[in-house]
Amino acid sequence: MGSLKEIRARIGSVTSTLKITSAMKMVSAAKLHKAEDRTLKTLPYKNKLYEVLARYLGSIDDENFKVSLSVEREVKNVALIAISSSTGLCGAFNSNITKLLTKQIEEHIALGRHVTVIPVGKKIKEALKLIKIKFPTIEVDNSHVSLCEKPDYAASSLVAESLVENFQNGVFDRIELLYNHYKNAGYQVPTVDQFLPLATINAESGDSNRLYFVEPDAKTFVENLVPIVVKIMFFATLLDSSTAEFGARTTAMQAASDNAQKLLEEITQMYNRARQEAITSELIDIAGGSEAVKN
């Protein structure tokens, strides 16, 4: 137990920390509310749009009609788009993505594939410095690091178009998205989604062998729908990850505030005991001095 002065300094320090974590929790909670609303409106739209396209592509019997973005080919070059946050204090949010990215790199390298990592977020960019030491053969493209800070459809669409172009030109044979999927404020799921090539649902499975009537024709329908789906997919993933970040930070700051409050109570009790001991010691000294004067 330290002196009263030292204990008072600790109380002041913990109190200041408690104010900071409480303020950060309130800010994150407000941002989470807005982001959650956008995500809950966007994800169902994205999922249904993707399902419609996948089912339609799976129902096409014409072998001469090929959609370039859905063609599976031998995978030699893989692009991993890892999405993290650009700031800390959000629990295991960023470390989970780092672990997931490391795992994916190991699996692809084991299959003899060349891996290019595209970090989205400053934290995963920093983590890649150590990952690069472990896997020196990987390439890193840092051109889209700031994309996660404020998810914007226009900016994300440009990146999606660039990825599509690289896939069509054979620069990448597969593109994967690595991110935290938002379930609720206290639970984020590290997720890997195949971005390109687009998945198809076999027309012979389940209830997917339904008839589709499209206007004006199949080629025009697919050529117009595919770019929209790809852009929506990428933007929705950024939005999902951003919402998960706010949820993780809100939970982390709530836990930090609770711990600070508990620590503050313990230190306050320690201070009161030390103060009582000091008062008792002074009373004993006074009583002893009084007896000495009497004698």
Side-chain angles (χ1 to χ4, degrees):
M1 184 183 297
S3 65
L4 289 175
K5 183 178 180 181
E6 292 174 344
I7 297 175
R8 279 196 298 268
R10 288 190 62 191
I11 290 175
S13 176
V14 175
T15 301
S16 299
T17 302
L18 178 58
K19 290 179 180 178
I20 293 172
T21 55
S22 296
M24 291 185 66
K25 183 197 73 172
M26 294 176 63
V27 171
S28 297
K31 290 182 178 180
L32 172 62
H33 180 71
K34 295 180 180 178
E36 185 179 37
D37 184 59
R38 293 180 67 192
T39 300
L40 294 179
K41 291 178 180 178
T42 304
L43 287 182
Y45 173 73
K46 183 265 291 187
N47 293 336
K48 193 63 181 178
L49 195 62
Y50 187 75
E51 178 188 353
V52 169
L53 178 62
R55 289 184 182 277
Y56 182 70
L57 293 177
S59 69
I60 298 176
D61 296 326
D62 187 358
E63 294 184 358
N64 295 322
F65 183 73
K66 295 291 184 181
V67 180
S68 61
L69 296 184
S70 65
V71 175
E72 296 277 353
R73 55 179 183 254
E74 183 183 359
V75 180
K76 296 180 179 179
N77 299 291
V78 180
L80 303 178
I81 304 174
I83 306 173
S84 72
S85 69
S86 288
T87 55
L89 300 177
C90 48
F93 180 86
N94 294 311
S95 61
N96 286 340
I97 291 298
T98 301
K99 293 176 183 177
L100 182 61
L101 176 60
T102 303
K103 178 183 176 183
Q104 289 299 109
I105 292 175
E106 286 178 340
E107 292 180 357
H108 287 301
I109 289 180
L111 294 173
R113 297 167 178 171
H114 180 264
V115 178
T116 299
V117 181
I118 304 175
V120 178
K122 294 179 181 178
K123 290 300 179 179
I124 195 64
K125 177 186 175 183
E126 294 171 0
L128 271 168
K129 295 177 182 178
L130 295 178
I131 296 177
K132 179 73 172 175
I133 296 175
K134 186 176 181 181
F135 305 103
T137 60
I138 67 172
E139 290 186 21
V140 179
D141 179 1
N142 291 320
S143 56
H144 306 301
V145 173
S146 62
L147 197 61
C148 70
E149 296 175 3
K150 290 184 179 181
D152 177 73
Y153 181 73
S156 66
S157 295
L158 294 176
V159 177
E161 290 174 359
S162 174
L163 294 172
V164 167
E165 183 178 351
N166 286 332
F167 178 79
Q168 291 176 325
N169 293 336
V171 177
F172 303 129
D173 301 308
R174 177 181 294 174
I175 301 176
E176 296 178 351
L177 299 174
L178 284 64
Y179 65 100
N180 283 296
H181 170 57
Y182 176 76
K183 296 289 287 185
N184 54 57
Y187 187 40
Q188 299 82 37
V189 185
T191 305
V192 179
D193 283 347
Q194 181 173 305
F195 183 60
L196 291 173
L198 296 172
T200 59
I201 299 177
N202 194 328
E204 297 178 356
S205 63
D207 63 344
S208 55
N209 55 341
R210 62 186 68 177
L211 293 176
Y212 289 88
F213 298 94
V214 297
E215 294 290 345
D217 56 73
K219 183 178 181 181
T220 303
F221 173 75
V222 171
E223 287 179 349
N224 282 274
L225 185 59
V226 166
I228 296 174
V229 172
V230 170
K231 292 175 183 179
I232 288 291
M233 282 174 57
F234 191 64
F235 174 66
T237 301
L238 291 174
L239 202 59
D240 194 2
S241 177
S242 177
T243 305
E245 177 192 344
F246 293 136
R249 182 168 288 109
T250 300
T251 302
M253 291 301 99
Q254 177 63 60
S257 297
D258 293 342
N259 291 336
Q261 184 63 49
K262 182 179 179 181
L263 182 59
L264 184 60
E265 292 174 358
E266 293 176 355
I267 298 176
T268 301
Q269 291 178 356
M270 185 188 302
Y271 175 77
N272 291 336
R273 286 197 300 269
R275 189 164 174 268
Q276 289 173 355
E277 290 176 2
I279 293 173
T280 301
S281 178
E282 290 177 1
L283 290 175
I284 292 174
D285 290 341
I286 292 171
S290 178
E291 286 296 325
V293 170
K294 289 180 181 179
N295 293 333

